[in-house]
Amino acid sequence: MPKMFGFSRRKMKLGRLKSHQGDSLHAPRSPVRPVKRLSQSNGENLIATSVSGRIDELECQYSSATSDYNGPVFDHTDNWTAISTEGDRPAPRFSHAAAMIGSKMVVVGGDSGHHLLDDTRILSLDKLTWALASPKIYLSPSGRSSKIPACKGHCLVPWGKTIILVGGKTEPSSERVSVWSFDVETECWSRLEAKGEIPSARSGHTVTRAGQHLFLFGGENSKGKKLNDLHMFDLKSSTWLPLRYKGTGPSSRSNHVAALHEDRNLFIFGGHSKSKTLNDLYSLDFETMVWSRIKTRGIHPSPRAGCCGALCGNKWYISGGGSMKKRHAETIVLDVVRFEWSECVTPPGSSITSNKGFSMVSLCQRDRVVLVAFGGNRKEPSDKVEILAQFQNDHAMSWRSAPDTDRSSYQDEYPLSNKVTRLYSFDSVARHSLASAVQDPEASGRRSFSDTLVEVANGSGSGNGSVSLRKQFSQEEESSLAQKLLRPVDDEKIRGSFQEKVRVSNPSEVYQSHDAKITNLIKRNHLLEEQLQALLESKETVEKDFNVAVKAKEEVERRLEEALKEVQLLKEKVSGLELAQEEANSLSNSVHSDNVRLEHQVAYLKAVLDGTWKELDTTRRVLSGERTRAMQLQNELYHIKHRYQTMENRAPTPRKH
């Protein structure tokens, strides 16, 4: 069975989709359907390369039919080679963005070194001539101008015959990520009026595409803060949705590279974090929505940011990049299946890949890969174009995202006569139900990806609702097999062969043999009907068991979520206890320091008190001595007084004259 879009209806957990379930725009054609026609009204094919590096078989045919890449300039090159271009050459620039549509490389915006640019340039690779696109300016239904702002650090993604511009640092600045669409044929820009939870404005992010869905990761906001959030944008309904995931994802970063392999695994490599340059590799599986860090083999790439990447089949080409101290000009290759790094080429120091802010697009054909680099800045901005062409015969077939399956593998092992017998002995009711199943697209599992997301968000998914898109595709293959079985049979050939047998045999024997065969066929038909009925009953039983298992799984998931919530509450309580313990320890230390200080003060006061007591004793002794002396003086005074009185008494009385 061909590899299809890897999202699972049950395992894909997205954030808050219920607000969009009433939107009629959420029921477009599924993006995982294989391309059946050369052109569609929505323009979802006719793309030379997608941002994830995949090349559908029909898209390769379109690229080969409309573009001549067999000239000497696109032959195998041993290293990056500068090419000469003509026409209206663009101004030198860096931090711009480029994308490929067919044989045209579209370059938008960038920094000229003096100011930001808002022009749109187109390089025709079959003629190697530049042209300036002159977008027609008109007002959108909301009254906004359709002229894009000057920008840098944005992303360009091809989608059908249009280019999608996402985010970037703009003049004037904005608070939210803006999305613009550029029609290459009409050369008209139009702003998509986005809905949902629009991410904050940013630059240096990455955008990858799977069908009608864009996936935005990381970047740097206007305040210089690094981000690691993941968002999805539905191009049909112009709705942003935040994606929920499990596991430890990449750290916050900007100027990294991203690739989407077979619409299932999203790879993130390198970039600038808050304090250093990174060289780690992460992968997000969209079936399980689990991030995982990849351990790689081969060479060990040095940390780098500002590099450019292009995924072709299983090979992810990454060129340039560097850190604050050193630039890396080499082109390295990662095998995303074996997770093995290898070095492709090492260009000279004058190559574009050693510049800062250059762009690189890829043209992946069945037998070779052509990488086209443009612009960048070393000492001054550049307007050069370089290419690297490499033959890749070993994995050319892996570039098909959904190749046509060999229908001969479904052919029955019975001979033609048995096929005819089984067809015409098949019960008419069973044939009618099988035909209705073939004609009814809902019965064959043809459901849109947006419907799947809405059902997951609403919690529905019993029966067919919980079946992954890969299983739906297998049901479509069974329906195509049923269509083959219901093709009209050439009765004339059968009747002619039967008449020839009648001529060469006895008619009575032929009739008897024919009656016996008819009887055997009727018996076999009844037996097959009984077996079919038993199989249908067993199928119903299996479906019931599956529904029970799904409900049990939902119950387990609900209990797991409750347990996780309880664990989260316990973690919060533990963190609160830890904070309380830290506060108690702090108080204990404060009390201890206060005790020590009080002890010192008490000792000091005790020493002062002891000195005071000594002074009091000394004063007491002095006072005691003074008291004794006073008593002695008092006694002496008494004796003197007594003597004076005695002497006064003894003195003669004076006579009177």
Side-chain angles (χ1 to χ4, degrees), residues 3-38:
K3 295 181 179 180
M4 294 300 295
F5 196 81
F7 295 91
S8 173
R9 309 182 79 177
R10 179 63 53 185
K11 298 179 180 178
M12 186 77 169
K13 294 185 177 180
L14 305 178
R16 295 184 295 277
L17 289 175
K18 292 185 178 181
S19 60
H20 306 289
Q21 64 182 1
D23 192 353
S24 62
L25 296 176
H26 274 273
R29 188 177 179 87
S30 174
V32 303
R33 305 262 315 163
V35 181
K36 298 297 183 182
R37 297 183 296 274
L38 184 61

Side-chain angles (χ1 to χ4, degrees), residues 90-98 107-119 150-154 169 255 306 308 327 352 354-360 374-384:
R93 66 190 67 201
F94 61 96
S95 297
H96 54 279
V107 177
V108 178
D111 193 340
S112 66
H114 304 286
H115 58 276
L116 300 185
L117 303 171
D118 61 352
D119 57 343
C151 55
K152 72 173 183 178
H154 48 285
K169 182 178 180 180
N255 296 318
C308 295
R327 300 292 302 174
I352 289 179
S354 62
N355 294 350
K356 295 181 181 179
F358 73 100
S359 65
M360 185 179 74
F374 168 71
N377 181 28
R378 187 179 295 115
K379 296 182 179 179
E380 59 183 13
S382 172
D383 61 350
K384 295 182 180 180

Side-chain angles (χ1 to χ4, degrees), residues 13 244-247 553-573:
K13 294 185 177 180
R244 295 180 180 178
Y245 49 81
K246 300 179 181 178
K553 180 182 177 182
E554 292 177 352
E555 181 67 20
V556 171
E557 289 179 350
R558 185 182 62 80
R559 293 181 180 178
L560 179 60
E561 290 180 356
E562 293 178 354
L564 291 175
K565 291 180 180 178
E566 293 179 357
V567 170
Q568 187 65 26
L569 292 176
L570 291 176
K571 287 183 178 179
E572 293 177 356
K573 291 181 180 179

Side-chain angles (χ1 to χ4, degrees), residues 25 60 117 264 319 402 546:
L25 296 176
C60 287
L117 303 171
R264 170 173 175 172
S319 298
F546 179 75

Side-chain angles (χ1 to χ4, degrees), residues 118 120 132-137 146-147 182 186-189:
D118 61 352
T120 304
L132 172 63
S134 300
K136 304 175 181 62
I137 300 178
S146 63
K147 182 175 176 59
F182 176 71
T186 62
E187 296 185 354
C188 287
W189 279 103

Side-chain angles (χ1 to χ4, degrees), residues 377-607:
N377 181 28
R378 187 179 295 115
K379 296 182 179 179
E380 59 183 13
S382 172
D383 61 350
K384 295 182 180 180
V385 180
E386 292 184 0
I387 67 164
L388 174 66
Q390 296 286 314
F391 285 105
Q392 299 291 331
N393 293 324
D394 54 345
H395 62 273
M397 294 303 293
S398 64
W399 295 337
R400 305 179 185 178
S401 62
D404 293 336
T405 307
D406 185 8
R407 304 298 182 184
S408 61
S409 61
Y410 292 106
Q411 298 297 333
D412 203 333
E413 60 184 1
Y414 297 103
L416 178 62
S417 59
N418 289 340
K419 285 186 182 181
V420 175
T421 302
R422 289 192 304 155
L423 273 177
Y424 282 91
S425 63
F426 197 67
D427 184 50
S428 60
V429 177
R431 290 181 61 189
H432 177 72
S433 62
L434 180 59
S436 62
V438 173
Q439 295 174 1
D440 186 6
E442 296 295 331
S444 62
R446 300 180 181 177
R447 303 178 61 83
S448 67
F449 181 58
S450 300
D451 290 340
T452 302
L453 299 181
V454 172
E455 288 185 4
V456 172
N458 294 336
S460 62
S462 61
N464 294 335
S466 60
V467 184
S468 65
L469 296 180
R470 185 178 286 110
K471 187 173 181 180
Q472 295 180 26
F473 183 78
S474 65
Q475 294 174 354
E476 292 180 4
E477 298 295 339
E478 294 175 358
S479 299
S480 63
L481 173 61
Q483 286 179 341
K484 287 189 175 184
L485 293 178
L486 293 177
R487 289 176 180 173
V489 184
D490 194 349
D491 296 336
E492 295 296 334
K493 293 183 179 179
I494 298 176
R495 190 180 296 107
S497 60
F498 179 75
Q499 290 177 356
E500 290 180 358
K501 291 182 180 180
V502 171
R503 294 192 190 99
V504 298
S505 304
N506 189 0
S508 60
E509 295 178 357
V510 171
Y511 292 149
Q512 293 177 359
S513 175
H514 182 66
D515 292 338
K517 289 182 179 180
I518 290 177
T519 304
N520 292 332
L521 289 175
I522 292 174
K523 292 180 180 179
R524 185 177 179 183
N525 184 28
H526 289 307
L527 181 62
L528 290 176
E529 288 179 353
E530 293 176 357
Q531 293 177 355
L532 179 61
Q533 186 66 26
L535 289 175
L536 291 176
E537 293 177 356
S538 63
K539 178 183 177 182
E540 293 178 355
T541 304
V542 170
E543 288 180 350
K544 292 180 180 179
D545 295 339
F546 179 75
N547 293 334
V548 172
V550 169
K551 292 181 180 179
K553 180 182 177 182
E554 292 177 352
E555 181 67 20
V556 171
E557 289 179 350
R558 185 182 62 80
R559 293 181 180 178
L560 179 60
E561 290 180 356
E562 293 178 354
L564 291 175
K565 291 180 180 178
E566 293 179 357
V567 170
Q568 187 65 26
L569 292 176
L570 291 176
K571 287 183 178 179
E572 293 177 356
K573 291 181 180 179
V574 169
S575 62
L577 291 175
E578 291 177 350
L579 292 175
Q581 184 67 29
E582 291 179 358
E583 293 179 357
N585 293 335
S586 177
L587 291 175
S588 177
N589 295 333
S590 177
V591 170
H592 179 70
S593 62
D594 292 341
N595 289 336
V596 172
R597 182 172 54 82
L598 290 174
E599 288 178 358
H600 286 293
Q601 292 179 357
V602 168
Y604 174 75
L605 293 175
K606 186 176 181 181

